[in-house]
Amino acid sequence: MSDKPVVVYGASGYTGRLVCEYLRELNVPFIAAGRSKEKLQAGLDTVPGLETADYEIAEVEHTPEALTKLLQGAKALCNMVGPFAEFGPAAVEACLDAGVHYMDTTGEQDWMIQCRDAYGAEFAEKGLLLSPGIAQMYTTGEIAANYCLENPGLDTLDMSVFWKGQPTVASTATIVQNAVLSKAYYLEDNKLVEWPADAGLYSLTVPGQHELGLALPWGGTSSPIWFQNDPRVATCKVLGGVINRPLMEAVPGLVAQMLELTAGKSLEETRQILAGVAAQVNNAYPPRENPRINISIDSVYASGPLARAHCVIYGNCNYKQTGLLQAWSASQVLHSAPRRVGFASACQAFGHRELHGVLRSFGLSMEAITTYNG
């Protein structure tokens, strides 16, 4: 048992280190956990100012039993160990056994649906939050959608997210596995509908620039799942892309190659093949984000029969946004119960204006630009 209230699992990775960095800035004690103490120490030694944080390092096996033991005495787990459909169940089951709030950074719809259907009710019964998908790529767009939905007469969300930067090693592995092993859905008339697998790239208008952006469903993202049971919303579509045309143009070919390589293979064989492909695509940590270069753009058009709204949130350093959103969300459950327990998004649990306010206070987001006609 530890006296540290937050556990960061996967703390040696790029995003995990940022969560630790922001927990330090929020003055929250934590355990930095992972499967290799040596790797954890090497990763955390690169985090600026971490020597002033109240933390300890813990090596742990990836089993429900070992993780449950680690979580004794804690209140929140920030899980960075993906792909989550593969590695998430052990962490979620440990949180249930230990009575700990659960958060991760997933965009895997199949994992989110599993969280909702298999674990949501039990988390709610215990007064615990189960919140997968707290990350810039999903939460900041949900914040923008909720700004639009503060206005009446809207029932349809057309959402996009763009960013400049390089995916991390873990993000690349998750994207690769998601592309082959999972379907992507959008919400239409309150039902989940599969995106066409052979549609290729979509051309979208990117607010603030003349050049069109290239986008993909990117696994469908979390918003169609969060808004599926929202009485204000009937339809929700999300597309996303990197503001790097050559990179985006290469994605459909890479996916076709992976499908060919894994055809007829077992699930275990497929995962091994995809892990190898991901390592070839990206096997090195990207450099620390530069706010002049690494920008993010979340845009939401909301519509109804006789109303229109548009919200744009310009930000920078999307991985820093993710690290802060995770750390701040964890800090909140230490002081009071979230607004909603069980399966719930960060916006549902803590409030979209509160989350955006935190991003703005740390210099990671502009004020939302919102227009409404109705």
Side-chain angles (χ1 to χ4, degrees):
M1 179 177 288
S2 171
D3 61 350
K4 304 293 188 291
V6 176
V7 176
V8 182
Y9 186 38
S12 64
Y14 189 95
T15 305
R17 285 180 283 176
L18 287 169
V19 178
C20 294
E21 183 175 336
Y22 282 111
L23 285 170
R24 168 196 169 272
E25 294 201 22
L26 295 168
N27 199 30
V28 176
F30 63 92
I31 297 173
R35 287 165 283 188
S36 167
K37 188 171 185 179
E38 181 179 307
K39 190 175 179 181
L40 284 163
Q41 189 65 67
L44 293 172
D45 283 345
T46 68
V47 178
L50 203 64
E51 69 278 0
T52 65
D54 181 3
Y55 79 101
E56 60 188 61
I57 290 176
E59 184 175 280
V60 61
E61 293 182 10
H62 186 75
T63 65
E65 297 77 17
L67 290 169
T68 299
K69 184 177 179 180
L70 173 70
L71 291 171
Q72 296 299 319
K75 291 188 177 181
L77 173 68
C78 297
N79 182 21
M80 310 294 124
V81 179
F84 295 95
E86 181 177 359
F87 296 110
V92 167
E93 290 163 15
C95 284
L96 272 174
D97 291 340
V100 170
H101 300 283
Y102 175 89
M103 305 159 195
D104 70 31
T105 57
T106 192
E108 303 164 52
Q109 287 184 337
D110 54 347
W111 169 238
M112 294 189 67
I113 292 169
Q114 183 180 348
C115 282
R116 182 191 65 191
D117 296 346
Y119 305 111
E122 196 169 354
F123 267 79
E125 288 172 5
K126 293 189 174 184
L128 298 172
L129 175 65
L130 174 61
S131 191
I134 301 179
Q136 183 278 325
M137 190 174 175
Y138 320 110
T139 303
T140 311
E142 189 189 357
I143 292 169
N146 276 285
Y147 275 125
C148 290
L149 292 170
E150 290 179 347
N151 300 290
L154 305 168
D155 61 16
T156 298
L157 299 174
D158 176 3
M159 304 174 62
S160 71
V161 53
F162 285 92
W163 65 97
K164 284 184 180 178
Q166 177 184 340
T168 66
V169 174
S171 294
T172 302
T174 300
I175 291 166
V176 165
Q177 290 216 20
N178 212 25
V180 174
L181 295 175
S182 304
K183 295 180 179 179
Y185 297 95
Y186 60 91
L187 185 67
E188 185 168 4
D189 293 329
N190 304 113
K191 296 180 181 179
L192 292 176
V193 179
E194 186 179 352
W195 282 97
D198 57 353
L201 296 166
Y202 295 79
S203 293
L204 299 186
T205 301
V206 182
Q209 69 178 48
H210 291 106
E211 183 180 2
L212 294 177
L214 298 178
L216 291 164
W218 225 262
T221 84
S222 62
S223 287
I225 309 302
W226 294 130
F227 286 112
Q228 186 176 10
N229 295 315
D230 190 315
R232 301 170 297 176
V233 178
T235 298
C236 175
K237 292 184 176 182
V238 188
L239 291 166
V242 179
I243 305 177
N244 180 329
R245 292 187 73 86
L247 189 154
M248 290 299 297
E249 287 167 348
V251 171
L254 177 62
V255 173
Q257 178 189 0
M258 292 187 296
L259 290 170
E260 182 178 348
L261 288 171
T262 57
K265 304 294 185 181
S266 68
L267 178 59
E268 183 178 349
E269 289 173 326
T270 297
R271 282 176 169 163
Q272 289 177 348
I273 291 170
L274 295 178
V277 172
Q280 291 177 1
V281 172
N282 185 12
N283 62 2
Y285 287 124
R288 188 172 176 83
E289 289 172 305
N290 184 332
R292 293 181 57 252
I293 298 170
N294 302 113
I295 65 169
S296 64
I297 305 170
D298 288 271
S299 175
V300 177
Y301 285 99
S303 61
L306 294 172
R308 296 289 186 274
H310 183 213
C311 180
V312 182
I313 298 178
Y314 294 100
N316 60 56
C317 302
N318 56 302
Y319 281 104
K320 286 185 180 180
Q321 290 184 52
T322 297
L324 177 57
L325 289 167
Q326 282 280 328
W328 185 82
S329 297
S331 75
Q332 293 306 289
V333 298
L334 306 184
H335 306 294
S336 62
R339 299 179 184 183
R340 189 182 298 185
V341 294
F343 182 72
S345 72
C347 288
Q348 292 164 346
F350 307 114
H352 62 283
R353 286 186 171 271
E354 287 78 0
L355 287 161
H356 190 212
V358 172
L359 292 175
R360 293 196 65 207
S361 69
F362 277 79
L364 297 173
S365 175
M366 287 176 57
E367 184 176 354
I369 303 170
T370 306
T371 58
Y372 173 73
N373 291 284

